[in-house]
Amino acid sequence: MRRDYTEWPLLLEDGLAEDWTSQFAAWFADATTFGLPEPNAMVIATADAAGRPSARTVLLKGYDASGFVFFTNYESRKGSELAVNPYASLVFPWFPMQRQVTVAGTVERVSRAETEEYFQARPRGSQLGAWASPQSRVLAGRAEVDAGLAAAVARFSAGPVPAPPHWGGFRVIPDSVEFWQGRSSRLHDRLRYRRDTVPGDGDGKWVVERLAP
């Protein structure tokens, strides 16, 4: 179960974009063109107050220089963990392309206006699902899921579905963004943009550094 990675030429410092946002945009475009299923799928790892980690896959719904945005139930496991430990790591596992992007940083909730704008763009079924499911709670069986959906359908009938108060967006504000490209003999290229915070320097400047494979 071993595969040698030879898909791309060397990933060198002088070939990187000036900032991580532009570099991510270029690689995300490559992943889309490559035909990966759901290239915006990303693994997010969180930890509880005691430092015990958990991870799951969510969908990226937006990004810019301020960070990466996804939406969820604030009362879910990840939402509860982020409430007490607002740090996370993301991984975009573009393995068919022999690439991955890893992000680490702090997390904050997006504005309510941003949540409501995105929620209204969701399919109605997904809107109802946000009301129907007490995400991450233990259930007796699938019937509870179906009953929750039936209750949401009845509650909102044919009218508009508002965003639930317990549902919304998070923004992962990166301190580091690593671009990993597979190379032969496991000598992979790893280039990382890292926020170099200096006292009195505001948010700090970004530096690029190479990590050993």
Side-chain angles (χ1 to χ4, degrees):
M1 299 175 70
R2 177 181 294 273
R3 181 181 178 187
D4 207 23
Y5 296 150
T6 58
E7 184 75 21
W8 301 93
L10 289 171
L11 179 63
L12 301 176
E13 288 80 347
D14 60 7
L16 282 184
E18 182 177 352
D19 55 77
W20 72 260
T21 315
S22 300
Q23 184 64 34
F24 183 82
W27 273 29
F28 189 79
D30 286 344
T32 302
T33 302
F34 194 83
L36 294 183
E38 295 188 297
N40 61 325
M42 59 186 187
V43 177
I44 177 168
T46 57
D48 63 16
R52 292 170 296 197
S54 63
R56 75 291 291 159
T57 302
V58 299
L59 295 179
L60 175 71
K61 291 301 180 180
Y63 72 92
D64 56 26
S66 64
F68 299 83
V69 174
F70 69 97
F71 293 85
T72 190
N73 186 319
Y74 286 142
E75 298 174 354
S76 65
R77 179 174 181 176
K78 57 185 170 298
S80 298
E81 290 182 350
L82 289 171
V84 298
N85 191 356
Y87 299 90
S89 180
L90 307 174
V91 178
F92 292 86
W94 296 330
F95 300 133
M97 296 181 62
Q98 303 174 4
R99 285 177 172 176
Q100 60 182 329
V101 179
T102 305
V103 179
T106 57
V107 183
E108 66 179 15
R109 291 188 180 189
V110 305
S111 69
R112 194 62 193 170
E114 189 172 347
T115 286
E116 291 175 351
E117 180 181 7
Y118 169 70
F119 190 83
Q120 293 309 314
R122 300 183 95 202
R124 185 176 179 84
S126 297
Q127 293 176 340
L128 293 169
W131 284 94
S133 174
Q135 193 175 99
S136 300
R137 306 287 177 85
V138 176
L139 302 178
R142 176 70 197 190
E144 287 193 48
V145 177
D146 297 335
L149 178 58
V153 170
R155 178 177 181 179
F156 298 107
S157 186
V161 182
H166 56 271
W167 190 95
F170 283 109
R171 177 176 288 104
V172 180
I173 305 167
D175 294 319
S176 67
V177 184
E178 178 188 332
F179 294 84
W180 181 104
Q181 185 168 284
R183 297 297 303 160
S184 183
S185 302
R186 296 300 187 261
L187 296 176
H188 314 304
D189 285 322
R190 300 174 60 190
L191 294 181
R192 177 174 67 183
Y193 295 79
R194 180 176 57 82
R195 193 192 303 272
D196 187 16
T197 304
V198 177
D201 191 30
D203 289 334
K205 62 181 180 179
W206 287 90
V207 297
V208 174
E209 48 199 8
R210 177 173 289 271
L211 304 179

